[in-house]
Amino acid sequence: MLTTYTNEVTVMSTTYALQDSERGYIEYTDKKRHLWMSSLALPLFPVLGIALYFAFDSQWMLVIPLLFNYLVIPFLDYALGADENNPPEEIVPQLEQDTYYRVLTWLTVPMHFIVLIAIAWFVGTQDLTLWSVIVLALTAGSYSGLGINTAHELGHKKPELERFLAKIVLAVPAYGHFCIEHNRGHHRDVATPEDPASSRMGESIYKFVLREIPGAARRGWEVEKERLARLGKSEWSVHNDILQSYAISAVLQGGLIIAFGWIMIPFLAIHNFFAWFQLTSANYIEHYGLLRQKEANGRYERCQPHHSWNANYIFSNILLFHLERHSDHHANPTRRYQSLRNFDDIPQLPNGYYGMYILAYIPWLWYRVMDKRVLALPHINGDLSKVNVDPDKRDEIFARFGEGKQAALV
Amino acid sequence: MGKYRCPGCEYTYDEALGDDHEGYPPGTTFESLPEDFTCPDCAVRYKEDFEPLED
């Protein structure tokens, strides 16, 4: 039995300790504790371009936040490297109970509303070129994509308040079905051919997005419809959690159209799509080619750590609430971000998520980097029957890598 | 009336209480839950993975 817990809070870190009956005294200092506060500074990035536009009177300044996303973040992942912090399993319950971490996720929720409204105001009131409007819509969409990430963190938690906040923040990118579809659909079906949110080897992100976005919407709606049917309620009622979130979206985005005119229609369309596409990008890289095996009873084996790709880079993990420690997330979906752990010998991506997104957007380069990594995983070891292969590319991939044989891993 | 716990995330299905949000009224036995029931909180564990709890 555990005997003592201690919890020493200092200025820069908190040390958690306990006396374990088997392993003795265990101590862990969370050196990232205060780095997580960066989530509160992130709204500055989407509006940074606007501030620089006023300072230098040049529309070129508006592109800086996107350059930061796709050039600076991948470089910092490369330069700052792996995250050495890894809490021992025994310490996880103490980290989970520390309310500091969860308050940070709550505080990001209103910021997503403020940033969208601020950028919409700018687009609606300034004389801008078409290109500037597109860049601003993409920038706003990118930050609202982080809103889906916040909803992901909150929506997995058990307290009602956090599930409620998830529904609220999903209204910003108009993606209210996400938490239901993700928690009850993706986590059940992950790394199987049935999952529209798990990508297949040989499937480009441009093909994947056409399967993922509609497939997720359909699955989310089906799951909610079944729940409401058990309750004897219609899916077209105020009890529908998806419709509640969509209703907030309608008020928010309808209000922006009324306030700032017709320019909001293309602006919001691009914003919404690009926010969804952030999720598509994450889904694309998180389970590419990975496949759970079917057991004798017809069920798929339980999701194992080798069914997710991970990226243990400190910089982008701080931006994404540890989303990149993805194997532990699928093993323990209700576990809070601060407690997610890295493991040796799990599938690892060669850069953080933002760097991998760029590769994904250039399919031939993605295949070149990733296909050999899929086949080199110890549980696959060149055996294509253990890979989730795009049926349309099956002949081509089997011809290239050899059926059931050890592939030439060059 | 018994209780059944998800071994992954400790969600507990209490037959006496059912699960209002999921649409299982109080008194719904664990046995009568659908065969494709997965844990409402983590969705990682299937019905047959649930462990009966001793009172």
Side-chain angles (χ1 to χ4, degrees), chain A residues 86-266:
Chain A
N86 208 18
E89 188 67 40
E90 292 81 359
I91 296 290
V92 167
Q94 279 172 276
L95 275 166
E96 293 277 304
Q97 282 161 16
D98 191 332
T99 48
Y100 159 79
Y101 298 98
R102 68 188 73 169
V103 171
L104 293 179
T105 58
W106 304 347
L107 291 175
T108 63
V109 172
M111 293 182 183
H112 287 283
F113 285 83
I114 294 167
V115 167
L116 178 62
I117 292 168
I119 296 179
W121 162 80
F122 181 77
V123 169
T125 55
Q126 305 294 310
D127 188 22
L128 299 169
T129 65
L130 175 66
W131 285 108
S132 294
V133 174
I134 292 171
V135 162
L136 286 161
L138 295 175
T139 304
S142 167
Y143 184 64
S144 294
L146 285 181
I148 300 179
N149 186 55
T150 294
H152 174 255
E153 173 63 26
L154 290 167
H156 269 299
K157 301 296 148 336
K158 295 172 185 250
E160 278 296 314
L161 170 71
E162 296 185 292
R163 293 186 184 187
F164 172 75
L165 288 172
K167 200 156 59 177
I168 301 284
V169 72
L170 282 179
V172 178
Y175 220 55
H177 57 276
F178 169 70
C179 282
I180 292 168
E181 118 67 21
H182 176 86
N183 294 11
R184 309 299 297 277
H186 174 65
H187 275 266
R188 182 192 61 202
D189 300 337
V190 61
T192 69
E194 286 81 3
D195 184 23
S198 295
S199 64
R200 302 160 176 166
M201 187 194 262
E203 182 178 40
S204 78
I205 192 168
Y206 305 108
K207 184 177 178 191
F208 176 67
V209 64
L210 299 176
R211 186 165 72 86
E212 189 242 13
I213 290 181
R218 207 176 299 128
R219 184 167 61 181
W221 188 262
E222 286 302 317
V223 169
E224 185 64 354
K225 189 173 151 184
E226 279 173 27
R227 181 184 77 87
L228 290 165
R230 286 195 297 268
L231 286 164
K233 290 170 178 154
S234 160
E235 70 259 43
W236 299 105
S237 72
V238 294
H239 304 286
N240 185 324
D241 282 337
I242 297 175
L243 291 181
Q244 289 172 13
S245 187
Y246 287 169
I248 304 168
S249 303
V251 171
L252 172 68
Q253 303 205 351
L256 292 174
I257 293 168
I258 292 166
F260 303 121
W262 67 267
I263 188 70
M264 284 295 110
I265 294 171

Side-chain angles (χ1 to χ4, degrees), chain A residues 13 70 196 217 279 343:
Chain A
S13 62
Y70 296 111
L279 172 67
F343 300 93

Side-chain angles (χ1 to χ4, degrees), chain A residues 187 190-191 286-287 290-293 295 300-310 326-332 343 345-347 379, chain B residues 44-45:
Chain A
H187 275 266
V190 61
E286 279 163 350
H287 307 283
L290 303 178
L291 180 66
R292 286 154 65 196
Q293 297 295 304
E295 291 181 334
Y300 283 103
E301 63 175 314
R302 192 180 308 143
C303 179
Q304 305 288 324
H306 58 252
H307 294 127
S308 303
W309 290 99
N310 297 267
H326 211 63
S327 288
D328 198 15
H329 169 62
H330 271 273
N332 302 290
F343 300 93
D345 66 27
I346 51 175
H379 75 285
Chain B
V44 174
R45 301 300 182 118

